[in-house]
Amino acid sequence: MRRIVVTGGAGFIGANFVHHLVQHTDAEVTVLDKLTYAASREALAGLPESRVRLVVGDVAEADDVEPLVAASDAVVHFAAESHNDNSLDDPSPFVRTNLVGTFTLLEAVRRHGVRYHHVSTDEVYGDLPLGDPARFTEESPYLPSSPYSASKAGSDHLVRAWVRSFGVAATLSNCSNNYGPWQHVEKFIPRQITNVLDGGRPRLYGAGLNVRDWIHASDHSSAVLRILTEGRLGETYLIGADGERNNLEVVRMILALLGRPEDDFDHVTDRAGHDLRYAIDSTKLRKELSWSPAYGDFEAGLAATIDWYRDHEAWWRPAKATTEAAYARRGQ
Ligand code: NAD
Ligand code: TDX
């Protein structure tokens, strides 16, 4: 697998994965990215031009996809509309990019016999009760709640159908909530960090008791590379780092790390259909492929992420005002 196409490689996790490929393999990487509001060229700056090239294009356009797939050994598909709140405002780009985009890529890898890895989310399984030991496994039933998670669930189903019906050489992964550098300020952790850096207050949806299972984006990248190179074809692997915290705990941790009182936040309008709890059982990935996360300490990873946002204000500042204006319109 020398020639790898990474879709969405200018986004948060995709860019992290491209850095990981450059550091840990000798692959030549072609990033296919539409450069939506969520993308940043800066996240790819400094990578060797001989190893990484950026092609601006749409995964849902066969003409953009076809020549790149034809000249590749593998496709790793990160490109997506990724934010639940946006999917509640306007689901249409989610259906187009996440469903039609995946379909377009699958048809291209089928035509050219190219290896395919599909990056998905734990949200396809719906949510779990609070205060319960149950976690998602590869056998959990699909029960998505939002237009975003439904579009991701549909894309997973397309991949499995292309494996079974057409013999496409694919693997899938479903990962929990990521944090780390280059995450857009619309997402929970960067939003709260930048609110505080701006002299404002974090905004908690509802009571803040919803639980997410946090993993550093670089651990997501190492898991995807392991599955791409050693995973069994047709299989799904859940990716997680045992990082369950409720949102209130995370906000209090951010406030403490930034030297602010622990109650210096606002409760705001809850998200419609807000999933209660996500939790991943990643035993299959750990046992079968001997993977383990490098970031065991969430608080240390969060502290490093806060430092990163403090040092990269020029990067996040342009998106902050428009993002907050959208939240203000929703009462959040
Ligand atoms: P992101 O929104 O930060 O980045 C998405 C990237 O895809 C952007 O660079 C954007 O320009 C690109 N893109 C969007 N539409 C496109 C199109 N039609 N054609 C080509 N490129 C397009 O997303 P992210 O948080 O980095 O998520 C990446 C993937 O990982 C997604 O598939 C998401 O579902 C999955 N995932 C994310 C998380 C998380 O916590 N963020 C967790 C599990 C899985
Ligand atoms: O301002 C906020 N206040 C708040 O309380 C925001 C933006 C979010 N929240 C809550 C909602 C969630 O319970 O924080 C939690 C995390 O929210 P998001 O960052 O929007 O993530 P989530 O909806 O859990 O989805 C994320 O993880 C799974 C990614 O955005 C998805 O792409 C991924 O599939």
Side-chain angles (χ1 to χ4, degrees):
M1 281 186 257
R2 275 196 55 80
R3 302 165 305 167
I4 301 181
V5 170
V6 179
T7 74
F12 163 47
I13 309 168
N16 199 297
F17 182 71
V18 172
H19 281 268
H20 194 81
L21 279 179
V22 169
Q23 276 160 25
H24 297 278
T25 72
D26 60 1
E28 289 166 19
V29 181
T30 300
V31 170
L32 171 60
D33 199 297
K34 194 178 170 183
L35 297 184
T36 70
Y37 78 96
S40 67
R41 285 177 184 272
E42 297 97 311
L44 298 173
L47 289 167
E49 282 174 27
S50 58
R51 299 277 309 278
V52 180
R53 73 174 171 135
L54 170 64
V55 175
V56 180
D58 186 339
V59 290
E61 288 292 341
D63 290 348
D64 293 349
V65 164
E66 179 65 22
L68 304 187
V69 173
S72 73
D73 302 311
V75 172
V76 183
H77 179 34
F78 286 92
E81 286 293 335
S82 69
H83 194 39
N84 275 300
D85 293 320
N86 294 343
S87 82
L88 298 168
D89 280 352
D90 178 11
S92 59
F94 289 76
V95 170
R96 181 179 154 76
T97 290
N98 301 358
L99 283 165
V100 179
T102 299
F103 160 75
T104 307
L105 288 165
L106 285 169
E107 285 293 83
V109 296
R110 169 157 88 107
R111 262 193 302 276
H112 297 286
V114 167
R115 172 83 167 85
Y116 175 85
H117 179 76
H118 187 69
V119 176
S120 192
T121 168
D122 58 1
E123 296 191 21
V124 299
Y125 304 118
D127 60 357
L128 296 162
L130 296 178
D132 188 277
R135 298 194 290 173
F136 296 132
T137 72
E138 287 79 4
E139 277 72 48
S140 295
Y142 272 59
L143 207 61
S145 311
S146 72
Y148 162 68
S149 50
S151 68
K152 293 296 292 188
S155 73
D156 293 9
H157 290 319
L158 291 177
V159 179
R160 290 205 187 86
W162 262 242
V163 169
R164 177 152 173 174
S165 301
F166 306 122
V168 162
T171 43
L172 300 90
S173 56
N174 296 77
C175 187
S176 60
N177 284 62
N178 285 221
Y179 73 98
W182 305 113
Q183 188 168 29
H184 194 276
V185 290
E186 70 189 354
K187 301 296 197 312
F188 177 58
I189 286 180
R191 184 182 186 207
Q192 314 314 339
I193 293 172
T194 54
N195 278 1
V196 178
L197 291 177
D198 250 356
R201 287 155 68 97
R203 300 268 194 277
L204 262 186
Y205 293 175
L209 300 180
N210 306 61
V211 172
R212 297 295 182 262
D213 189 355
W214 294 101
I215 182 173
H216 197 280
S218 67
D219 283 332
H220 188 178
S221 293
S222 70
V224 167
L225 182 58
R226 186 69 57 89
I227 297 164
L228 180 69
T229 52
E230 294 173 34
R232 281 185 292 138
L233 294 181
E235 292 290 316
T236 295
Y237 297 86
L238 261 53
I239 305 173
D242 299 334
E244 276 189 76
R245 312 261 167 188
N246 74 32
N247 296 335
L248 183 58
E249 286 176 83
V250 175
V251 156
R252 289 207 166 124
M253 218 180 260
I254 291 169
L255 286 165
L257 287 164
L258 284 162
R260 295 264 289 264
E262 68 163 26
D263 60 352
D264 200 7
F265 62 85
D266 297 319
H267 290 284
V268 295
T269 312
D270 206 352
R271 174 183 285 170
H274 196 173
D275 280 340
L276 285 177
R277 172 175 163 252
Y278 306 138
I280 288 275
D281 178 347
S282 56
T283 304
K284 177 177 176 182
L285 173 65
R286 291 173 192 241
K287 285 211 166 138
E288 204 178 285
L289 303 184
S290 304
W291 174 86
S292 59
Y295 281 80
D297 180 346
F298 175 70
E299 190 165 2
L302 188 61
T305 304
I306 289 174
D307 288 344
W308 190 90
Y309 279 87
R310 200 191 267 115
D311 294 344
H312 290 78
E313 182 176 346
W315 174 73
W316 57 261
R317 174 62 61 197
K320 184 68 179 165
T322 42
T323 303
E324 287 305 317
Y327 278 123
R329 282 196 294 278
R330 301 174 194 136
Q332 294 176 321

